[in-house]
mmCIF file of all heavy atoms in Angstrom:
data_model
loop_
_atom_site.group_PDB
_atom_site.id
_atom_site.type_symbol
_atom_site.label_atom_id
_atom_site.label_comp_id
_atom_site.label_asym_id
_atom_site.label_seq_id
_atom_site.Cartn_x
_atom_site.Cartn_y
_atom_site.Cartn_z
ATOM 1 N N ASP K 76 68.142 -39.837 -32.116
ATOM 2 C CA ASP K 76 66.782 -39.766 -31.612
ATOM 3 C C ASP K 76 66.904 -39.156 -30.272
ATOM 4 O O ASP K 76 67.369 -39.865 -29.261
ATOM 5 C CB ASP K 76 66.230 -41.161 -31.468
ATOM 6 C CG ASP K 76 64.720 -41.125 -30.868
ATOM 7 O OD1 ASP K 76 64.258 -39.928 -30.567
ATOM 8 O OD2 ASP K 76 64.139 -42.185 -30.719
ATOM 9 N N LEU K 77 66.567 -37.905 -30.158
ATOM 10 C CA LEU K 77 66.745 -37.166 -28.812
ATOM 11 C C LEU K 77 65.380 -36.779 -28.299
ATOM 12 O O LEU K 77 65.210 -35.824 -27.462
ATOM 13 C CB LEU K 77 67.620 -35.905 -29.020
ATOM 14 C CG LEU K 77 68.982 -36.048 -29.577
ATOM 15 C CD1 LEU K 77 69.742 -34.719 -29.659
ATOM 16 C CD2 LEU K 77 69.827 -37.054 -28.693
ATOM 17 N N SER K 78 64.503 -37.475 -28.718
ATOM 18 C CA SER K 78 62.953 -37.120 -28.320
ATOM 19 C C SER K 78 62.756 -37.172 -26.827
ATOM 20 O O SER K 78 62.016 -36.362 -26.368
ATOM 21 C CB SER K 78 61.978 -38.051 -29.045
ATOM 22 O OG SER K 78 62.317 -39.440 -28.764
ATOM 23 N N ARG K 79 63.420 -38.089 -26.131
ATOM 24 C CA ARG K 79 63.173 -38.219 -24.681
ATOM 25 C C ARG K 79 63.612 -36.895 -23.956
ATOM 26 O O ARG K 79 63.186 -36.638 -22.783
ATOM 27 C CB ARG K 79 63.819 -39.421 -24.138
ATOM 28 C CG ARG K 79 65.367 -39.369 -24.058
ATOM 29 C CD ARG K 79 65.939 -40.715 -23.677
ATOM 30 N NE ARG K 79 67.295 -40.886 -23.379
ATOM 31 C CZ ARG K 79 68.223 -40.985 -24.433
ATOM 32 N NH1 ARG K 79 67.840 -41.151 -25.559
ATOM 33 N NH2 ARG K 79 69.540 -41.183 -24.052
ATOM 34 N N PHE K 80 64.514 -36.115 -24.540
ATOM 35 C CA PHE K 80 64.977 -34.934 -23.936
ATOM 36 C C PHE K 80 64.233 -33.664 -24.323
ATOM 37 O O PHE K 80 64.182 -32.622 -23.662
ATOM 38 C CB PHE K 80 66.469 -34.606 -24.289
ATOM 39 C CG PHE K 80 67.409 -35.745 -24.003
ATOM 40 C CD1 PHE K 80 67.995 -36.449 -24.986
ATOM 41 C CD2 PHE K 80 67.575 -36.016 -22.597
ATOM 42 C CE1 PHE K 80 68.885 -37.456 -24.629
ATOM 43 C CE2 PHE K 80 68.518 -37.070 -22.298
ATOM 44 C CZ PHE K 80 69.134 -37.848 -23.336
ATOM 45 N N VAL K 81 63.427 -33.691 -25.397
ATOM 46 C CA VAL K 81 62.881 -32.438 -25.938
ATOM 47 C C VAL K 81 61.423 -32.570 -26.298
ATOM 48 O O VAL K 81 60.729 -31.497 -26.570
ATOM 49 C CB VAL K 81 63.744 -32.062 -27.210
ATOM 50 C CG1 VAL K 81 65.123 -31.687 -26.857
ATOM 51 C CG2 VAL K 81 63.727 -33.142 -28.327
ATOM 52 N N ALA K 82 60.887 -33.712 -26.511
ATOM 53 C CA ALA K 82 59.468 -33.722 -27.055
ATOM 54 C C ALA K 82 58.464 -33.064 -26.128
ATOM 55 O O ALA K 82 57.425 -32.571 -26.539
ATOM 56 C CB ALA K 82 59.076 -35.224 -27.221
ATOM 57 N N HIS K 83 58.819 -33.010 -24.810
ATOM 58 C CA HIS K 83 57.938 -32.392 -23.788
ATOM 59 C C HIS K 83 58.135 -30.943 -23.769
ATOM 60 O O HIS K 83 57.297 -30.184 -23.149
ATOM 61 C CB HIS K 83 58.226 -32.956 -22.506
ATOM 62 C CG HIS K 83 59.598 -32.796 -21.928
ATOM 63 N ND1 HIS K 83 60.666 -33.511 -22.539
ATOM 64 C CD2 HIS K 83 60.118 -31.956 -21.011
ATOM 65 C CE1 HIS K 83 61.811 -33.092 -21.849
ATOM 66 N NE2 HIS K 83 61.490 -32.114 -20.992
ATOM 67 N N ARG K 84 59.052 -30.405 -24.534
ATOM 68 C CA ARG K 84 59.337 -28.966 -24.522
ATOM 69 C C ARG K 84 59.724 -28.644 -25.957
ATOM 70 O O ARG K 84 60.875 -28.174 -26.268
ATOM 71 C CB ARG K 84 60.405 -28.514 -23.521
ATOM 72 C CG ARG K 84 61.628 -29.423 -23.512
ATOM 73 C CD ARG K 84 62.675 -28.997 -22.606
ATOM 74 N NE ARG K 84 63.823 -29.873 -22.705
ATOM 75 C CZ ARG K 84 64.960 -29.792 -21.922
ATOM 76 N NH1 ARG K 84 65.107 -28.852 -21.151
ATOM 77 N NH2 ARG K 84 65.976 -30.665 -22.160
ATOM 78 N N PRO K 85 58.845 -28.705 -26.899
ATOM 79 C CA PRO K 85 59.190 -28.602 -28.402
ATOM 80 C C PRO K 85 59.748 -27.267 -28.670
ATOM 81 O O PRO K 85 59.261 -26.190 -28.198
ATOM 82 C CB PRO K 85 57.855 -28.927 -29.111
ATOM 83 C CG PRO K 85 56.771 -28.594 -28.005
ATOM 84 C CD PRO K 85 57.434 -29.086 -26.629
ATOM 85 N N SER K 86 60.798 -27.225 -29.389
ATOM 86 C CA SER K 86 61.446 -25.918 -29.766
ATOM 87 C C SER K 86 62.264 -26.145 -31.135
ATOM 88 O O SER K 86 62.507 -27.311 -31.512
ATOM 89 C CB SER K 86 62.319 -25.410 -28.676
ATOM 90 O OG SER K 86 62.821 -24.192 -28.985
ATOM 91 N N VAL K 87 62.753 -25.004 -31.618
ATOM 92 C CA VAL K 87 63.663 -25.155 -32.670
ATOM 93 C C VAL K 87 65.159 -25.071 -32.136
ATOM 94 O O VAL K 87 66.062 -25.650 -32.771
ATOM 95 C CB VAL K 87 63.466 -23.941 -33.653
ATOM 96 C CG1 VAL K 87 64.451 -23.910 -34.774
ATOM 97 C CG2 VAL K 87 62.069 -23.990 -34.245
ATOM 98 N N LEU K 88 65.328 -24.366 -31.036
ATOM 99 C CA LEU K 88 66.651 -24.043 -30.582
ATOM 100 C C LEU K 88 66.804 -24.382 -29.092
ATOM 101 O O LEU K 88 66.002 -23.970 -28.232
ATOM 102 C CB LEU K 88 66.997 -22.589 -30.837
ATOM 103 C CG LEU K 88 66.972 -22.121 -32.205
ATOM 104 C CD1 LEU K 88 66.956 -20.620 -32.352
ATOM 105 C CD2 LEU K 88 68.196 -22.663 -32.935
ATOM 106 N N TYR K 89 67.901 -24.999 -28.724
ATOM 107 C CA TYR K 89 68.233 -25.399 -27.264
ATOM 108 C C TYR K 89 69.659 -24.813 -27.216
ATOM 109 O O TYR K 89 70.637 -25.208 -27.801
ATOM 110 C CB TYR K 89 68.174 -26.823 -27.078
ATOM 111 C CG TYR K 89 66.815 -27.391 -27.335
ATOM 112 C CD1 TYR K 89 66.442 -27.765 -28.623
ATOM 113 C CD2 TYR K 89 65.861 -27.470 -26.309
ATOM 114 C CE1 TYR K 89 65.082 -28.208 -28.840
ATOM 115 C CE2 TYR K 89 64.579 -27.970 -26.546
ATOM 116 C CZ TYR K 89 64.224 -28.349 -27.757
ATOM 117 O OH TYR K 89 62.922 -28.874 -28.025
ATOM 118 N N TRP K 90 69.820 -23.890 -26.197
ATOM 119 C CA TRP K 90 71.049 -23.106 -26.034
ATOM 120 C C TRP K 90 71.800 -23.697 -24.782
ATOM 121 O O TRP K 90 71.137 -23.831 -23.692
ATOM 122 C CB TRP K 90 70.817 -21.659 -25.787
ATOM 123 C CG TRP K 90 70.242 -21.047 -27.046
ATOM 124 C CD1 TRP K 90 68.913 -21.154 -27.473
ATOM 125 C CD2 TRP K 90 70.857 -20.159 -27.917
ATOM 126 N NE1 TRP K 90 68.806 -20.438 -28.681
ATOM 127 C CE2 TRP K 90 69.920 -19.783 -28.957
ATOM 128 C CE3 TRP K 90 72.225 -19.666 -28.010
ATOM 129 C CZ2 TRP K 90 70.300 -18.979 -30.022
ATOM 130 C CZ3 TRP K 90 72.448 -18.810 -29.056
ATOM 131 C CH2 TRP K 90 71.575 -18.435 -30.068
ATOM 132 N N MET K 91 73.102 -24.010 -24.843
ATOM 133 C CA MET K 91 73.774 -24.662 -23.810
ATOM 134 C C MET K 91 74.939 -23.769 -23.228
ATOM 135 O O MET K 91 75.683 -23.223 -23.927
ATOM 136 C CB MET K 91 74.482 -25.945 -24.289
ATOM 137 C CG MET K 91 73.670 -26.726 -25.287
ATOM 138 S SD MET K 91 72.020 -27.311 -24.589
ATOM 139 C CE MET K 91 71.279 -28.155 -25.928
ATOM 140 N N LEU K 92 74.944 -23.700 -21.874
ATOM 141 C CA LEU K 92 75.929 -22.961 -21.183
ATOM 142 C C LEU K 92 76.973 -23.998 -20.765
ATOM 143 O O LEU K 92 76.739 -24.727 -19.779
ATOM 144 C CB LEU K 92 75.436 -22.169 -20.054
ATOM 145 C CG LEU K 92 76.402 -21.286 -19.271
ATOM 146 C CD1 LEU K 92 77.102 -20.314 -20.129
ATOM 147 C CD2 LEU K 92 75.746 -20.592 -18.184
ATOM 148 N N GLN K 93 77.990 -24.168 -21.379
ATOM 149 C CA GLN K 93 79.128 -25.053 -21.177
ATOM 150 C C GLN K 93 80.508 -24.386 -21.223
ATOM 151 O O GLN K 93 80.549 -23.302 -21.819
ATOM 152 C CB GLN K 93 79.145 -26.235 -22.076
ATOM 153 C CG GLN K 93 77.985 -27.224 -21.993
ATOM 154 C CD GLN K 93 78.273 -28.274 -20.878
ATOM 155 O OE1 GLN K 93 79.484 -28.320 -20.408
ATOM 156 N NE2 GLN K 93 77.285 -28.978 -20.366
ATOM 157 N N PRO K 94 81.511 -24.902 -20.559
ATOM 158 C CA PRO K 94 82.833 -24.334 -20.661
ATOM 159 C C PRO K 94 83.216 -24.104 -22.049
ATOM 160 O O PRO K 94 83.262 -24.956 -23.006
ATOM 161 C CB PRO K 94 83.741 -25.294 -19.927
ATOM 162 C CG PRO K 94 82.821 -25.972 -18.980
ATOM 163 C CD PRO K 94 81.446 -26.041 -19.754
ATOM 164 N N GLY K 95 83.557 -22.775 -22.469
ATOM 165 C CA GLY K 95 83.933 -22.412 -23.780
ATOM 166 C C GLY K 95 82.737 -22.079 -24.717
ATOM 167 O O GLY K 95 83.020 -21.692 -25.920
ATOM 168 N N ALA K 96 81.599 -22.120 -24.223
ATOM 169 C CA ALA K 96 80.419 -22.030 -25.087
ATOM 170 C C ALA K 96 80.238 -20.603 -25.650
ATOM 171 O O ALA K 96 79.713 -20.311 -26.740
ATOM 172 C CB ALA K 96 79.106 -22.345 -24.362
ATOM 173 N N GLU K 97 80.782 -19.508 -24.968
ATOM 174 C CA GLU K 97 80.548 -18.199 -25.416
ATOM 175 C C GLU K 97 81.650 -17.737 -26.285
ATOM 176 O O GLU K 97 81.670 -16.611 -26.867
ATOM 177 C CB GLU K 97 80.550 -17.286 -24.117
ATOM 178 C CG GLU K 97 81.832 -16.780 -23.653
ATOM 179 C CD GLU K 97 82.706 -17.961 -22.786
ATOM 180 O OE1 GLU K 97 82.133 -19.028 -22.722
ATOM 181 O OE2 GLU K 97 83.766 -17.616 -22.368
ATOM 182 N N LYS K 98 82.596 -18.571 -26.680
ATOM 183 C CA LYS K 98 83.699 -18.135 -27.491
ATOM 184 C C LYS K 98 83.204 -17.952 -28.967
ATOM 185 O O LYS K 98 82.854 -18.864 -29.741
ATOM 186 C CB LYS K 98 84.790 -19.333 -27.514
ATOM 187 C CG LYS K 98 86.130 -18.879 -28.394
ATOM 188 C CD LYS K 98 86.920 -20.122 -28.546
ATOM 189 C CE LYS K 98 87.426 -20.573 -27.277
ATOM 190 N NZ LYS K 98 88.332 -21.722 -27.527
ATOM 191 N N GLU K 99 83.242 -16.651 -29.365
ATOM 192 C CA GLU K 99 82.748 -16.179 -30.685
ATOM 193 C C GLU K 99 81.398 -16.990 -31.022
ATOM 194 O O GLU K 99 80.541 -17.070 -30.259
ATOM 195 C CB GLU K 99 83.906 -16.476 -31.643
ATOM 196 C CG GLU K 99 85.063 -15.550 -31.318
ATOM 197 C CD GLU K 99 86.113 -15.438 -32.414
ATOM 198 O OE1 GLU K 99 85.825 -15.842 -33.645
ATOM 199 O OE2 GLU K 99 87.197 -14.901 -32.114
ATOM 200 N N GLY K 100 81.346 -17.596 -32.202
ATOM 201 C CA GLY K 100 80.064 -18.372 -32.580
ATOM 202 C C GLY K 100 78.908 -17.477 -32.447
ATOM 203 O O GLY K 100 78.893 -16.244 -32.810
ATOM 204 N N VAL K 101 77.778 -18.008 -31.870
ATOM 205 C CA VAL K 101 76.571 -17.272 -31.774
ATOM 206 C C VAL K 101 76.200 -16.991 -30.380
ATOM 207 O O VAL K 101 75.013 -16.732 -30.008
ATOM 208 C CB VAL K 101 75.370 -18.102 -32.382
ATOM 209 C CG1 VAL K 101 75.511 -18.171 -33.930
ATOM 210 C CG2 VAL K 101 75.294 -19.510 -31.933
ATOM 211 N N GLY K 102 77.137 -17.120 -29.453
ATOM 212 C CA GLY K 102 77.012 -16.671 -28.060
ATOM 213 C C GLY K 102 76.901 -17.821 -27.032
ATOM 214 O O GLY K 102 77.428 -17.618 -26.018
ATOM 215 N N LEU K 103 76.488 -18.954 -27.433
ATOM 216 C CA LEU K 103 76.478 -20.160 -26.613
ATOM 217 C C LEU K 103 76.486 -21.383 -27.475
ATOM 218 O O LEU K 103 76.430 -21.213 -28.720
ATOM 219 C CB LEU K 103 75.182 -20.225 -25.632
ATOM 220 C CG LEU K 103 75.010 -19.240 -24.565
ATOM 221 C CD1 LEU K 103 73.598 -19.337 -23.965
ATOM 222 C CD2 LEU K 103 76.095 -19.254 -23.535
ATOM 223 N N GLY K 104 76.629 -22.557 -26.957
ATOM 224 C CA GLY K 104 76.510 -23.700 -27.745
ATOM 225 C C GLY K 104 74.973 -24.007 -28.101
ATOM 226 O O GLY K 104 74.135 -23.575 -27.245
ATOM 227 N N VAL K 105 74.739 -24.453 -29.220
ATOM 228 C CA VAL K 105 73.290 -24.607 -29.671
ATOM 229 C C VAL K 105 73.176 -25.969 -30.331
ATOM 230 O O VAL K 105 73.975 -26.548 -31.090
ATOM 231 C CB VAL K 105 72.961 -23.583 -30.761
ATOM 232 C CG1 VAL K 105 71.587 -23.773 -31.247
ATOM 233 C CG2 VAL K 105 73.144 -22.157 -30.156
ATOM 234 N N LEU K 106 71.964 -26.617 -29.977
ATOM 235 C CA LEU K 106 71.462 -27.789 -30.810
ATOM 236 C C LEU K 106 70.222 -27.236 -31.386
ATOM 237 O O LEU K 106 69.227 -26.804 -30.687
ATOM 238 C CB LEU K 106 71.145 -28.926 -29.826
ATOM 239 C CG LEU K 106 72.408 -29.724 -29.470
ATOM 240 C CD1 LEU K 106 71.960 -30.789 -28.416
ATOM 241 C CD2 LEU K 106 73.110 -30.391 -30.648
ATOM 242 N N ARG K 107 70.143 -27.224 -32.743
ATOM 243 C CA ARG K 107 68.985 -26.789 -33.513
ATOM 244 C C ARG K 107 68.305 -28.057 -34.105
ATOM 245 O O ARG K 107 68.902 -28.810 -34.713
ATOM 246 C CB ARG K 107 69.497 -25.897 -34.608
ATOM 247 C CG ARG K 107 68.394 -25.286 -35.462
ATOM 248 C CD ARG K 107 68.942 -24.732 -36.704
ATOM 249 N NE ARG K 107 68.247 -25.295 -37.961
ATOM 250 C CZ ARG K 107 68.615 -25.219 -39.155
ATOM 251 N NH1 ARG K 107 69.725 -24.648 -39.401
ATOM 252 N NH2 ARG K 107 67.833 -25.790 -40.139
ATOM 253 N N MET K 108 67.040 -28.043 -33.796
ATOM 254 C CA MET K 108 66.203 -29.009 -34.450
ATOM 255 C C MET K 108 66.025 -28.768 -35.954
ATOM 256 O O MET K 108 65.720 -27.703 -36.424
ATOM 257 C CB MET K 108 64.760 -29.106 -33.816
ATOM 258 C CG MET K 108 63.822 -30.070 -34.373
ATOM 259 S SD MET K 108 62.931 -29.433 -35.845
ATOM 260 C CE MET K 108 61.985 -28.180 -35.155
ATOM 261 N N ILE K 109 66.255 -29.856 -36.810
ATOM 262 C CA ILE K 109 65.937 -29.799 -38.172
ATOM 263 C C ILE K 109 64.738 -30.455 -38.448
ATOM 264 O O ILE K 109 63.804 -29.944 -39.152
ATOM 265 C CB ILE K 109 67.195 -30.365 -38.992
ATOM 266 C CG1 ILE K 109 68.464 -29.548 -38.753
ATOM 267 C CG2 ILE K 109 66.804 -30.358 -40.462
ATOM 268 C CD1 ILE K 109 69.675 -30.144 -39.321
ATOM 269 N N LYS K 110 64.541 -31.694 -37.972
ATOM 270 C CA LYS K 110 63.365 -32.508 -38.067
ATOM 271 C C LYS K 110 63.081 -33.127 -36.769
ATOM 272 O O LYS K 110 63.908 -33.742 -36.159
ATOM 273 C CB LYS K 110 63.454 -33.571 -39.175
ATOM 274 C CG LYS K 110 63.571 -33.074 -40.584
ATOM 275 C CD LYS K 110 63.687 -34.204 -41.632
ATOM 276 C CE LYS K 110 63.782 -33.711 -42.972
ATOM 277 N NZ LYS K 110 63.858 -34.851 -44.017
ATOM 278 N N PRO K 111 61.861 -32.918 -36.174
ATOM 279 C CA PRO K 111 61.646 -33.377 -34.830
ATOM 280 C C PRO K 111 61.594 -34.891 -34.820
ATOM 281 O O PRO K 111 60.958 -35.513 -35.627
ATOM 282 C CB PRO K 111 60.159 -32.916 -34.585
ATOM 283 C CG PRO K 111 59.888 -31.910 -35.678
ATOM 284 C CD PRO K 111 60.701 -32.241 -36.845
ATOM 285 N N TRP K 112 62.212 -35.486 -33.911
ATOM 286 C CA TRP K 112 63.287 -34.927 -33.012
ATOM 287 C C TRP K 112 64.536 -35.899 -33.192
ATOM 288 O O TRP K 112 65.167 -36.335 -32.348
ATOM 289 C CB TRP K 112 62.822 -35.080 -31.527
ATOM 290 C CG TRP K 112 61.495 -34.350 -31.382
ATOM 291 C CD1 TRP K 112 60.341 -34.840 -31.194
ATOM 292 C CD2 TRP K 112 61.375 -32.885 -31.337
ATOM 293 N NE1 TRP K 112 59.355 -33.930 -31.041
ATOM 294 C CE2 TRP K 112 59.966 -32.597 -31.129
ATOM 295 C CE3 TRP K 112 62.160 -31.803 -31.475
ATOM 296 C CZ2 TRP K 112 59.476 -31.336 -31.046
ATOM 297 C CZ3 TRP K 112 61.717 -30.514 -31.418
ATOM 298 C CH2 TRP K 112 60.276 -30.378 -31.270
ATOM 299 N N HIS K 113 64.761 -36.064 -34.511
ATOM 300 C CA HIS K 113 65.856 -36.988 -34.869
ATOM 301 C C HIS K 113 66.955 -36.456 -35.816
ATOM 302 O O HIS K 113 67.825 -37.132 -36.152
ATOM 303 C CB HIS K 113 65.179 -38.247 -35.485
ATOM 304 C CG HIS K 113 64.421 -37.975 -36.707
ATOM 305 N ND1 HIS K 113 65.033 -37.927 -37.958
ATOM 306 C CD2 HIS K 113 63.092 -37.789 -36.869
ATOM 307 C CE1 HIS K 113 64.032 -37.636 -38.886
ATOM 308 N NE2 HIS K 113 62.938 -37.601 -38.203
ATOM 309 N N GLU K 114 66.733 -35.239 -36.290
ATOM 310 C CA GLU K 114 67.775 -34.555 -37.042
ATOM 311 C C GLU K 114 68.234 -33.185 -36.491
ATOM 312 O O GLU K 114 67.301 -32.471 -36.237
ATOM 313 C CB GLU K 114 67.357 -34.467 -38.580
ATOM 314 C CG GLU K 114 68.496 -34.072 -39.472
ATOM 315 C CD GLU K 114 68.119 -33.979 -40.934
ATOM 316 O OE1 GLU K 114 67.013 -34.459 -41.248
ATOM 317 O OE2 GLU K 114 68.973 -33.642 -41.794
ATOM 318 N N TRP K 115 69.487 -32.934 -36.392
ATOM 319 C CA TRP K 115 69.872 -31.834 -35.601
ATOM 320 C C TRP K 115 71.108 -31.110 -36.272
ATOM 321 O O TRP K 115 71.820 -31.764 -37.025
ATOM 322 C CB TRP K 115 70.375 -32.335 -34.163
ATOM 323 C CG TRP K 115 69.186 -32.951 -33.471
ATOM 324 C CD1 TRP K 115 68.824 -34.265 -33.524
ATOM 325 C CD2 TRP K 115 68.326 -32.250 -32.609
ATOM 326 N NE1 TRP K 115 67.752 -34.465 -32.696
ATOM 327 C CE2 TRP K 115 67.370 -33.238 -32.128
ATOM 328 C CE3 TRP K 115 68.194 -30.979 -32.137
ATOM 329 C CZ2 TRP K 115 66.327 -32.955 -31.216
ATOM 330 C CZ3 TRP K 115 67.135 -30.723 -31.205
ATOM 331 C CH2 TRP K 115 66.241 -31.656 -30.842
ATOM 332 N N MET K 116 71.309 -29.935 -35.861
ATOM 333 C CA MET K 116 72.505 -29.205 -36.166
ATOM 334 C C MET K 116 73.138 -28.651 -34.899
ATOM 335 O O MET K 116 72.428 -28.110 -34.085
ATOM 336 C CB MET K 116 72.248 -27.985 -37.051
ATOM 337 C CG MET K 116 73.534 -27.175 -37.367
ATOM 338 S SD MET K 116 73.272 -25.669 -38.332
ATOM 339 C CE MET K 116 73.032 -26.364 -39.933
ATOM 340 N N LEU K 117 74.387 -29.116 -34.674
ATOM 341 C CA LEU K 117 75.131 -28.582 -33.545
ATOM 342 C C LEU K 117 75.939 -27.369 -33.967
ATOM 343 O O LEU K 117 76.668 -27.377 -34.995
ATOM 344 C CB LEU K 117 76.045 -29.746 -33.047
ATOM 345 C CG LEU K 117 76.984 -29.575 -31.794
ATOM 346 C CD1 LEU K 117 77.269 -30.830 -31.241
ATOM 347 C CD2 LEU K 117 78.199 -28.776 -32.125
ATOM 348 N N MET K 118 75.925 -26.315 -33.118
ATOM 349 C CA MET K 118 76.676 -25.127 -33.424
ATOM 350 C C MET K 118 77.592 -24.820 -32.260
ATOM 351 O O MET K 118 77.103 -24.859 -31.052
ATOM 352 C CB MET K 118 75.796 -23.916 -33.724
ATOM 353 C CG MET K 118 75.038 -23.961 -35.081
ATOM 354 S SD MET K 118 74.091 -22.507 -35.485
ATOM 355 C CE MET K 118 72.518 -22.959 -34.698
#
């Protein structure tokens, strides 16, 4: 349940700039919403 972080700014994708985030993959770290706001995919 991550609703307290995202319900006020609903989206499908949240992109994170963290050390190592740009290494291959899709360009940055990502938390993708699957079902609001309690099921997620981390990339």
Side-chain angles (χ1 to χ4, degrees):
D76 182 1
L77 303 180
S78 56
R79 68 189 189 276
F80 303 113
V81 295
H83 60 286
R84 48 179 178 179
S86 180
V87 175
L88 297 164
Y89 300 85
W90 297 73
M91 319 301 179
L92 185 59
Q93 285 281 343
E97 84 288 357
K98 183 191 297 182
E99 299 195 12
V101 293
L103 292 176
V105 176
L106 284 175
R107 180 196 128 196
M108 179 275 295
I109 297 171
K110 292 182 181 177
W112 306 106
H113 59 83
E114 189 174 356
W115 300 87
M116 177 183 286
L117 184 157
M118 288 184 276

